[in-house]
Amino acid sequence: MSASHSRVLVVGVDAETFAKLQPMLDRASVEVDRFPRARASLELVTAVRFDLLIVRSPLEDMSLGEYLASVRVPESKSRRSSLLLLVSDGDTMAAQAFLGRGANRSIALSESEEHLQQAVSDLLHVAPRIGARIFASLQVQVAEDQSLTMCQTENVSATGMLIRTNVNYPVGTMLDFEFNLPTGGEVVRGSAEVVRHTVVGREAVAGVGVRFASFNPGSEDRFRQYLESQTPSD
């Protein structure tokens, strides 16, 4: 793997939480391995060096202490990897006991998508999505019906965007989009797929997360240049 790539291991994380992390992990520069059970991941995590381990607390099939001890043994390739604990309600105190003793940081599973992604970004040193309220025109085909609507984005990244809408488009719905960048220039056009719905009560925005599937010629370069111009340099 090239030096520009990061490798991430996700352990014991449910599908809903993983979907909240996915916009940060679904990048060309990040390679992700995912295990629903901790014990099944031990052979890989000790044989391969990961840049970041994202581990649920508590684990279902073994104690967190046992898992961390196995990861941090001297012969483990991931003994120096950053490790983020995603902590369920009621396990906060137990998880905090491992900070500095195998874990680098903990965050509650109930936190918003933005906070979870920021925690991953901090440990991976990857720029998160930027908050950008852009008005986008969406053309959506659902079954036999086609609709055209205007929506506002809450934030965007190179791989997707969060769209504020009260329409609960099914996951997997394909849509065509176009929007003007705040910096001006030609309209950015392309297609995207709905990959998740926001969680009522946990996130301030009611809407859907979409992943970019393709851009019209020239649009992707303009869009990436805009993102780069908005990202603070180190």
Side-chain angles (χ1 to χ4, degrees), residues 17-201:
T17 304
F18 185 77
K20 294 167 74 172
L21 299 172
Q22 199 162 8
M24 176 59 64
L25 299 177
D26 191 15
R27 298 167 179 242
S29 61
V30 180
E31 182 176 338
V32 179
D33 291 277
R34 185 180 174 195
F35 284 82
R37 298 281 182 175
R39 198 172 297 279
S41 73
L42 285 176
E43 182 177 356
L44 180 64
V45 75
T46 54
V48 175
R49 190 189 75 81
F50 286 88
D51 297 283
L52 174 63
L53 311 178
I54 302 174
V55 181
R56 181 185 172 115
S57 174
L59 293 166
E60 292 185 4
D61 61 331
M62 61 189 301
S63 73
L64 182 59
E66 181 186 1
Y67 186 77
L68 295 182
S70 298
V71 169
R72 300 309 194 188
V73 294
E75 60 270 25
S76 170
K77 297 291 187 181
S78 297
R79 66 188 181 279
R80 299 188 185 278
S81 302
S82 296
L83 194 145
L84 172 66
L85 295 179
L86 302 185
V87 185
S88 62
D89 294 341
D91 201 53
T92 303
M93 294 300 293
Q96 286 181 344
F98 292 103
L99 296 180
R101 298 176 50 241
N104 299 94
R105 184 168 175 178
S106 67
I107 187 170
L109 281 166
S110 58
E111 286 284 358
S112 69
E113 175 187 0
E114 287 71 23
H115 283 94
L116 290 171
Q117 289 186 31
Q118 186 64 57
V120 172
S121 173
D122 290 344
L123 292 176
L124 258 188
H125 308 294
V126 175
R129 300 175 308 169
I130 62 170
R133 290 174 171 82
I134 300 170
F135 283 100
S137 173
L138 308 178
Q139 183 168 313
V140 185
Q141 181 79 49
V142 180
E144 300 299 321
D145 297 324
Q146 188 175 71
S147 63
L148 182 65
T149 185
M150 286 291 294
C151 296
Q152 180 177 286
T153 68
E154 285 297 314
N155 43 51
V156 296
S157 74
T159 58
M161 55 188 175
L162 178 64
I163 298 170
R164 181 187 291 269
T165 177
N166 292 321
V167 181
N168 200 26
Y169 297 116
V171 171
T173 298
M174 297 300 298
L175 55 87
D176 293 324
F177 66 84
E178 65 175 48
F179 54 77
N180 288 294
L181 295 172
T183 50
E186 296 182 39
V187 173
V188 173
R189 294 185 175 89
S191 63
E193 178 185 5
V194 175
V195 294
R196 78 173 195 92
H197 304 134
T198 57
V199 181
V200 177

